[in-house]
């Protein structure tokens, strides 16, 4: 490889202005030989050497390598050249002080295919060559100055380059070791180019083929040394003993053998022939010096080495970030806790597929059930929209069922029959039969006179599977028992659920009503009851039919134009007549009739959920209604047209007669259904779920403070990590420059540095995740201690995808910052990067 320098100029910017380090220097270097660059301090020797190796770039002029102008070189070209053909020996060693000698040399073998597979052997040979056997495990900062310099020499010789560039290679060695090193460099200069920067002119004359002298950045002399074969130079001092002489010769032999193999020896113990051209025949047996790509595992290994170089600092930062991430995980998971998963977990663990629902009210003074509304057209329509009508359970509460005994039956109305004290009877809820029921015996009801009951009710009534087909009584109606439904009453924990004690009465009452004390009828039952009411033309008392002004739902709007009507008059759909008693109670005078009143939309957003359980007359007759007459009737009644009556009766039995609405949660859509319910005011009424809703409401009130804490934790994590990155990159700036000088690509260095910080974040993530999982278990355990039913589910159900997304975004931001910092450092020239 031939190097040519033509009118090279190098300028540096300084506070006082520009400083010229080199001023128009020109010369050429051969493929082989020993060339010394000398001069006083500040003359530009080191700058020139850096330009030769591409560690720095000239401000002007040209540097040609094998006839190619280096201005056309890309960074990859320089990386390849430094990796395969150049070896550096720096005056300040340029070693990574915090790492071992072995690691310093392994960085060279990692990127060379011909060295990698025998890296351990090659490294030990190189160290043995320079007399450092057994120091590979020591850290560089534990070595003396001379040992460090020899490690730097071993690193340069390890790659067996075509050119060795040495900057004061013996500056920290004694005279004896200096002679050995210069003798070795002189020896190998017969097969490669050796360029040495030195101020020791005595040794220049003794070993060099040529001296290029600089003065104030200018080339002041370029002298070649020529001598015949008879001229000899002793490397022995007068005081050398035979033992020291033998040791010195042994070190020279090792250097020679390592670099040239067992070829002809040039250096002898007593003399050194200095000739212009050595007559040598050296066979080249080297493997091709191909670049090798570093694997992911090796990148991780190098990243781990860099992190372990500052163990205490890395440990402190890892602990700090782990605590911050743990608090962040806890806050986010609490604030976004997936309560629906906890509810689904409860229904799965208890094998309970029936959920009673209600809508929270906006008015809190509606009697016993002041907190919830259980039924109504709007509620049922909403539930049908998300679950389907076949998955709804309509409970008609408060019916009495009994069985006939000795020709006597127990009825809800004592006057309708004779009561026998020994006859078993019980209160139950009624719902339409579901085809998915599990039966102990019999079948699903299919007619209006058929009924199925649970095994729990059958036990209360003293009935068994053998009694299927006999008649029992529901209120005043005789019906046929066609089936007994199988429940888990016998297997369900009676100590927890079916024991009516004060501390669990509400829970037991709920389970008895929704699951065990239930009768099942066919859909024809409701249709038959509607027809019965129509045929009897009984007065139907319906919530919301009171049209008095005091109701605060309606208001008078003025007189109508029609004359006074009678009770039997054919009424329009928006006309009513009222009883004399009703008129007296509400101050309606006959001379005011017909009286027009305005109806309000009680299902509008103005009233919220207050009237969900009330028929909204405005939906049937429009915004106005007319009181057209007063009839003689002692009861306080309002009489509507037959057309309106039929519509109201049908809707009443469909939407308002059932006093409870339940859902069947028996498929894979449970979570979706629960999420839909969460968007509205619908809640599940199982008392066992109260701890979940209680915890959710409490967190809802604290949310604003919790999110402030989340932001604080994020800021803390970012600041701590940024400080760590900036400090680590500053400490490892020199290392990156050293590796660049050895031929490492920018991309590889960036990967190592970023992986170092990713590795730290991974450790932090593992630690904080383990502690977080333990915290969740502890949290659920503490809740289970205070809430008896909480042991049946885990309230703490973090949204894993959300937490994962948060971790990914945060990690990406932090790694992005590390990439930016490393990229800014690597923008500089190699020699600038090496300067701390």
């Amino acid at each position: 490889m031939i190097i040519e320098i033509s009118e090279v100029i190098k300028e540096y910017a300084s506070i006082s202005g520009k400083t010229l380090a080199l001023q128009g220097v020109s010369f050429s270097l051969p493929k082989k030989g020993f060339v010394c660059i000398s001069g006083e301090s500040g003359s530009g020797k080191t700058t020139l050497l850096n330009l030769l190796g591409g560690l720095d770039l000239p401000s002007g002029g040209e540097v040609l390598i094998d006839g190619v102008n280096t201005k056309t070189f890309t960074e990859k070209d320089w990386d390849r050249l430094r990796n395969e053909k150049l070896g550096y020996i720096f005056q300040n060693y340029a070693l990574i002080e915090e790492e071992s000698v072995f690691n310093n040399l392994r960085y060279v073998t990692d990127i060379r295919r011909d060295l990698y597979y025998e890296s351990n052997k090659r490294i030990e040979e190189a160290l043995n060559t320079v007399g450092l056997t057994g120091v590979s495990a020591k850290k560089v900062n534990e070595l003396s100055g001379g040992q460090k310099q020899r490690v730097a020499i071993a690193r340069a010789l390890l790659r067996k380059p075509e050119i060795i560039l040495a900057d004061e290679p013996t500056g920290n060695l004694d005279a004896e070791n200096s002679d050995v090193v210069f003798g070795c460099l002189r020896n190998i200069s017969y097969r490669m180019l050796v360029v040495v920067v030195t101020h020791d002119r005595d040794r220049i004359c003794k070993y060099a083929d040529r001296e290029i002298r600089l003065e104030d950045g200018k080339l002041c002399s370029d002298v070649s040394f020529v001598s015949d074969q008879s001229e000899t130079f002793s490397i022995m001092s007068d005081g050398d003993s035979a033992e020291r002489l033998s040791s010195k010769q042994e070190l020279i032999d090792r250097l020679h053998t390592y670099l040239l193999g067992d070829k002809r020896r040039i250096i002898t113990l007593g003399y050194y022939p200095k000739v212009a051209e050595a007559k040598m025949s050296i066979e080249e047996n080297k493997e091709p010096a191909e670049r090798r790509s570093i694997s992911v595992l090796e990148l991780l290994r190098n990243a781990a080495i860099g992190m372990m170089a500052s163990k205490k600092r890395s440990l402190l930062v890892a602990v700090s970030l782990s605590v911050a991430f743990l608090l962040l995980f806890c806050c986010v998971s609490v604030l976004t806790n997936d309560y629906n998963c906890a509810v689904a977990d409860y229904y799965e663990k208890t094998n309970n597929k029936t959920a009673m629902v209600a809508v929270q009210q906006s008015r809190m003074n509606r009697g016993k059930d002041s907190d919830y509304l259980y039924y109504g057209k709007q509620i049922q329509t909403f539930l049908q929209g998300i679950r389907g009508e076949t998955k709804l359970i309509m409970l008609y509460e408060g019916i009495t069922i009994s069985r006939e005994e000795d020709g006597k039956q127990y009825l809800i109305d004592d006057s309708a029959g004779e009561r026998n004290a020994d006859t078993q009877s019980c209160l139950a809820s009624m719902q339409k039969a579901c085809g998915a029921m599990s039966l102990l015996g019999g079948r699903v009801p299919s007619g209006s006179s058929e009924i199925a009951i649970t095994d729990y009710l059958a036990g209360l009534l003293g009935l068994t599977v053998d009694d299927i087909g006999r008649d029992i009584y529901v209120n005043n109606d005789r019906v046929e028992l066609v089936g007994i439904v199988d429940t888990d009453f016998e297997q369900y924990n009676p100590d927890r659920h079916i024991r009516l004690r004060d501390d669990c009465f509400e829970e037991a009452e709920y389970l008895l009503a929704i699951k065990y004390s239930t009768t099942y009828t066919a859909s024809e039952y409701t249709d038959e009851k509607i027809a019965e009411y129509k045929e009897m033309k009984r007065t139907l008392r319906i919530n919301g039919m009171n049209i008095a002004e005091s109701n605060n739902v309606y208001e008078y709007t003025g007189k109508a134009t029609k004359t006074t009507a009678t009770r039997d008059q054919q009424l329009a759909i928006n006309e009513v007549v009222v009883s004399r008693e009703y008129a007296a109670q509400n101050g309606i005078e006959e001379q005011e009739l017909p009286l027009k009143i305005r109806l309000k939309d009680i299902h509008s957003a103005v009233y919220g959920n207050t009237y969900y359980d009330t028929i909204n007359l405005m939906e049937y007759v429009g915004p106005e209604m007319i009181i057209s007459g007063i009839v003689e009737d002692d009861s306080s009644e309002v009489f509507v047209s037959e057309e309106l009556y039929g519509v109201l009766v049908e809707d009443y039995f469909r939407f308002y007669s059932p006093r409870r609405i339940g859902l069947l949660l028996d498929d894979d859509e449970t979570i979706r259904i629960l999420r839909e319910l969460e968007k509205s005011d619908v809640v599940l009424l199982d008392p066992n779920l109260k701890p979940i809703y209680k915890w959710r409401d409490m967190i809802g009130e604290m949310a604003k403070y919790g999110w402030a804490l989340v932001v604080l934790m994020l800021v803390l994590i970012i600041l701590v990590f940024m400080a760590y990155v900036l400090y680590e990159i500053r400490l490892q700036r020199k290392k990156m420059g050293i590796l660049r000088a050895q031929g490492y690509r920018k991309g590889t260095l960036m990967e190592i540095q970023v992986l170092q910080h990713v590795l730290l974040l991974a450790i932090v993530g593992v630690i904080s995740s383990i502690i977080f999982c333990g915290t969740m278990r502890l949290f659920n355990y503490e809740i289970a201690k205070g809430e008896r039913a909480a042991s049946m589910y885990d309230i703490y159900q973090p949204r894993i995808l959300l937490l994962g997304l948060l971790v990914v975004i945060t990690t990406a931001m932090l790694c992005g910052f590390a990439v930016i910092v490393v990229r800014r450092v690597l923008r500089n020239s190699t020699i600038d990067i090496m300067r701390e």
Side-chain angles (χ1 to χ4, degrees):
M1 191 167 71
I2 299 175
I3 300 179
E4 298 178 63
I5 308 294
S6 177
E7 297 297 328
V8 168
I9 299 172
K10 182 60 181 178
E11 293 180 345
Y12 290 107
S14 62
I15 299 176
S16 58
K18 293 183 178 180
T19 301
L20 279 173
L22 293 175
Q23 304 180 44
V25 176
S26 299
F27 60 85
S28 62
L29 297 174
K31 288 185 177 181
K32 304 175 183 178
F34 194 126
V35 179
C36 285
I37 301 175
S38 64
E40 301 296 330
S41 297
S43 60
K45 306 186 301 297
T46 299
T47 300
L48 181 58
L49 197 70
N50 293 335
L51 295 179
L52 293 177
L55 301 183
D56 206 352
L57 299 176
S59 304
E62 296 178 345
V63 178
L64 288 80
I65 297 180
D66 287 336
V68 180
N69 194 333
T70 57
K71 288 182 179 179
T72 65
F73 279 18
T74 64
E75 289 184 346
K76 290 184 178 179
D77 293 332
W78 277 118
D79 292 340
R80 185 177 299 106
L81 189 67
R82 286 192 288 262
N83 178 41
E84 299 175 1
K85 297 184 178 182
L86 298 179
Y88 285 88
I89 303 173
F90 294 94
Q91 180 180 9
N92 61 350
Y93 323 127
L95 299 172
I96 304 169
E97 297 281 335
E98 301 83 7
E99 298 185 21
S100 66
V101 172
F102 182 83
N103 284 339
N104 272 267
L105 271 63
R106 187 166 62 181
Y107 284 119
V108 174
T109 63
D110 279 351
I111 57 174
R112 285 279 293 270
R113 191 177 300 278
D114 57 324
L115 300 176
Y116 173 74
Y117 297 103
E118 294 182 341
S119 59
N120 291 0
K121 177 182 176 182
R122 298 292 183 93
I123 290 171
E124 290 300 332
E125 286 179 354
L127 291 174
N128 183 53
T129 299
V130 295
L132 291 178
T133 304
V135 301
S136 60
K138 288 186 177 181
K139 286 189 176 182
V140 172
N141 54 22
E142 298 174 357
L143 305 179
S144 65
Q147 288 175 316
K148 291 179 182 179
Q149 188 62 281
R150 282 191 276 174
V151 172
I153 294 171
R155 181 181 60 191
L157 300 179
L158 180 64
R159 64 177 73 241
K160 297 184 180 180
E162 293 184 18
I163 299 177
I164 287 183
L165 303 176
D167 186 5
E168 299 285 1
T170 60
N172 296 292
L173 301 179
D174 55 25
E176 179 181 341
N177 287 320
S178 296
D179 282 332
V180 172
V181 172
F182 269 109
C184 174
L185 295 176
R186 179 70 183 100
N187 193 17
I188 64 177
S189 68
Y190 284 100
R191 63 181 295 270
M192 67 181 67
L193 177 64
V194 178
V195 182
V196 178
V197 167
T198 183
H199 63 277
D200 190 350
R201 299 205 68 196
D202 293 337
R203 287 193 170 81
I204 292 175
C205 297
K206 191 174 182 179
Y207 299 105
D209 294 328
R210 178 179 173 187
E211 178 192 12
I212 298 174
R213 184 165 181 80
L214 298 179
E215 187 174 323
D216 296 329
K218 298 179 181 179
L219 180 64
C220 64
S221 66
D222 186 351
V223 179
S224 296
F225 302 103
V226 180
S227 57
D228 57 34
Q229 283 186 323
S230 62
E231 190 174 3
T232 62
F233 297 87
S234 174
I235 60 172
M236 295 183 293
S237 61
D238 295 336
D240 274 343
S241 64
E243 183 177 352
R244 291 188 61 189
L245 204 56
S246 175
S247 176
K248 183 185 292 187
Q249 182 61 54
E250 182 183 356
L251 182 57
I252 293 175
D253 288 345
R254 285 204 302 263
L255 284 166
H256 175 79
T257 301
Y258 177 75
L259 291 166
L260 300 178
D262 294 326
K263 306 302 177 184
R264 180 180 170 193
R265 182 175 300 175
I266 302 301
I267 296 180
T268 61
L269 180 62
Y271 67 94
Y272 181 88
K274 185 173 183 182
V275 294
E277 292 184 4
K279 304 298 183 181
M280 299 176 58
S281 176
I282 301 176
E283 297 177 6
E284 299 287 343
N285 294 322
K286 291 176 57 179
E287 299 177 41
E290 297 179 8
R291 173 180 291 278
R292 176 182 174 274
S293 298
I294 299 180
S295 67
V296 175
L297 289 178
E298 290 169 331
L299 289 172
L300 287 172
R301 182 197 68 198
N302 291 333
I305 290 172
M307 187 172 65
M308 294 303 293
S310 51
K311 288 183 286 190
K312 292 182 179 179
R313 181 168 52 255
S314 298
L315 179 62
L316 179 62
V317 172
V319 171
S320 301
L321 289 179
S322 296
V323 173
F325 267 110
L326 177 62
L327 291 175
L328 180 66
F329 289 166
C330 289
C331 288
V332 173
S333 61
V334 167
L335 293 173
T336 61
N337 190 31
D338 198 344
Y339 300 97
N340 294 315
C341 285
V343 174
D345 187 31
Y346 162 75
Y347 281 107
E348 181 177 355
K349 287 182 178 179
T350 58
N351 198 29
N352 180 13
K353 301 301 182 182
T354 306
M356 191 182 297
V357 299
V359 178
Q360 291 180 322
Q361 288 191 118
S362 59
R363 193 170 71 183
M364 306 298 292
N365 58 348
R366 295 178 62 86
K368 179 181 178 181
D369 297 327
S370 60
D371 291 339
Y372 300 102
L373 294 170
Y374 302 97
Y375 56 92
K377 183 177 182 179
Q378 284 187 288
I379 298 175
Q380 191 175 142
T381 302
F382 168 74
L383 294 176
Q384 285 177 352
I386 64 172
R387 197 67 186 102
E389 186 174 4
T390 59
K391 297 293 185 179
L392 295 187
I393 300 171
M394 301 301 173
L395 293 176
Y396 303 84
E397 295 183 330
I399 63 171
T400 302
I401 63 173
S402 62
R403 64 184 178 86
E404 188 177 52
E405 186 172 321
D406 298 329
K408 301 176 182 178
Q409 64 183 45
Y410 171 62
L411 304 175
I412 191 171
D413 185 0
D414 289 342
S415 62
E418 185 177 354
R419 176 173 178 174
N420 187 325
D422 296 328
T423 300
Q424 296 293 324
S425 62
C426 55
L427 289 174
S429 299
M430 183 181 295
Q431 72 178 68
K432 292 181 181 179
C434 175
M437 290 188 303
S438 174
L439 298 172
L440 286 176
R443 57 181 174 80
V444 176
S446 59
S448 60
S449 62
E450 297 178 345
I451 192 171
I453 62 175
T454 64
D455 52 357
Y456 172 70
L457 288 179
L460 292 179
L461 294 171
L463 300 173
T464 65
V465 176
D466 296 335
D467 294 308
I468 292 176
R470 67 175 295 179
D471 290 342
I472 61 174
Y473 297 90
V474 179
N475 291 352
N476 293 331
D477 300 324
R478 181 190 293 266
V479 295
E480 180 185 359
L481 177 64
V482 297
I484 296 180
V485 179
D486 184 20
T487 70
D488 58 353
F489 169 70
E490 293 293 340
Q491 292 77 27
Y492 216 69
N493 189 340
D495 293 330
R496 178 172 293 166
H497 295 286
I498 313 301
R499 190 165 63 188
L500 300 181
R501 302 178 308 186
D502 292 340
D503 61 341
C504 61
F505 179 81
E506 184 181 11
E507 178 186 350
E509 184 182 46
Y510 171 82
L511 287 172
L512 288 171
I514 194 69
K515 193 168 185 180
Y516 304 125
S517 298
T518 306
T519 63
Y520 301 89
T521 64
S523 58
E524 288 85 350
Y525 177 86
T526 302
D527 299 334
E528 186 176 290
K529 288 297 179 184
I530 292 174
E532 180 183 317
Y533 266 95
K534 288 182 178 180
E535 183 180 350
M536 294 174 61
K537 294 188 176 181
R538 296 176 57 182
T539 300
L540 182 65
R541 299 180 180 274
I542 303 175
N543 290 337
M545 282 303 294
N546 186 349
I547 58 175
E549 184 181 20
S550 59
N551 183 287
N552 200 29
V553 176
Y554 318 102
E555 59 183 7
Y556 296 112
T557 61
K559 290 183 177 295
T561 57
K562 294 189 72 173
T563 59
T564 302
T566 66
R567 177 175 179 176
D568 297 327
Q569 177 183 348
Q570 187 70 27
L571 298 175
I573 195 168
N574 67 333
E575 284 186 287
V576 297
V577 294
V578 298
S579 66
R580 181 72 64 185
E581 179 66 21
Y582 183 92
Q585 289 177 356
N586 294 280
I588 300 175
E589 300 293 339
E590 191 167 345
Q591 58 271 22
E592 295 178 328
L593 300 179
L595 184 63
K596 186 185 297 183
I597 60 174
R598 179 179 295 130
L599 301 179
K600 294 184 178 180
D601 185 3
I602 60 174
H603 287 174
S604 66
V606 176
Y607 297 96
N609 303 334
T610 305
Y611 300 105
Y612 271 15
D613 58 349
T614 304
I615 288 180
N616 186 16
L617 290 178
M618 187 175 179
E619 295 179 8
Y620 301 90
V621 301
E624 292 184 333
M625 179 175 279
I626 298 172
I627 301 177
S628 59
I630 299 175
V631 298
E632 297 296 334
D633 195 304
D634 293 336
S635 62
S636 179
E637 303 291 352
V638 176
F639 302 94
V640 299
S641 66
E642 185 174 357
E643 178 185 2
L644 179 59
Y645 179 80
V647 173
L648 292 177
V649 166
E650 187 170 351
D651 279 4
Y652 174 77
F653 274 95
R654 182 184 302 172
F655 300 116
Y656 298 94
S657 178
R659 305 298 289 180
R660 293 285 191 274
I661 302 177
L663 294 175
L664 283 178
L665 303 176
D666 58 351
D667 52 31
D668 296 334
E669 293 195 338
T670 298
I671 293 293
R672 182 189 69 81
I673 300 303
L674 293 174
R675 295 200 196 286
E676 291 291 334
L677 296 178
E678 189 180 29
K679 296 176 183 178
S680 64
D681 294 323
V682 177
V683 294
L684 303 182
L685 294 177
D686 192 328
N688 291 324
L689 301 178
K690 281 188 175 181
I692 296 178
Y693 294 121
K694 179 181 178 182
W695 178 251
R696 185 183 67 180
D697 294 341
M698 183 177 69
I699 294 303
E701 296 177 1
M702 300 170 58
K704 58 181 179 181
Y705 305 107
W707 287 114
L709 185 59
V710 168
V711 173
L712 179 63
M713 288 299 101
L714 279 174
V715 171
L716 178 63
I717 289 171
I718 292 172
L719 291 179
V720 171
F721 187 79
M722 287 174 63
Y724 174 74
V725 169
L726 291 172
Y727 194 73
E728 279 296 308
I729 297 300
R730 186 173 69 85
L731 290 179
Q732 298 200 32
R733 180 187 179 101
K734 180 180 177 182
K735 175 180 178 179
M736 287 188 283
I738 293 170
L739 296 184
R740 283 284 285 159
Q742 305 307 315
Y744 273 72
R745 296 190 182 102
K746 280 185 178 181
T748 303
L749 294 178
M750 183 173 296
E751 289 171 354
I752 292 174
Q753 290 298 318
V754 173
L755 275 176
Q756 176 178 334
H757 297 98
V758 170
L759 187 60
L760 177 75
L761 290 175
I763 294 172
V764 168
V766 171
I767 294 174
S768 54
S769 297
I770 292 174
I771 300 176
F772 175 66
C773 292
T775 303
M776 287 197 301
R777 292 180 64 88
L778 179 63
F779 180 83
N780 285 314
Y781 173 75
E782 290 298 324
I783 290 182
K785 285 172 55 179
E787 297 287 348
R788 176 174 44 80
S791 60
M792 292 184 289
Y793 51 78
D794 292 332
I795 286 183
Y796 211 6
Q797 301 265 3
R799 297 179 189 265
I800 301 300
L801 289 179
L802 179 63
L803 285 176
L805 181 62
L806 178 64
V807 170
V808 169
I809 293 176
T810 305
T811 303
M813 290 174 55
L814 298 179
C815 292
F817 175 75
V819 169
I820 292 172
V821 174
V822 176
R823 187 185 294 274
R824 287 180 64 87
V825 171
L826 293 176
R827 283 179 184 173
N828 301 313
S829 66
T830 304
I831 197 64
D832 287 335
I833 297 173
M834 294 177 65
R835 295 190 182 107
E836 295 184 73

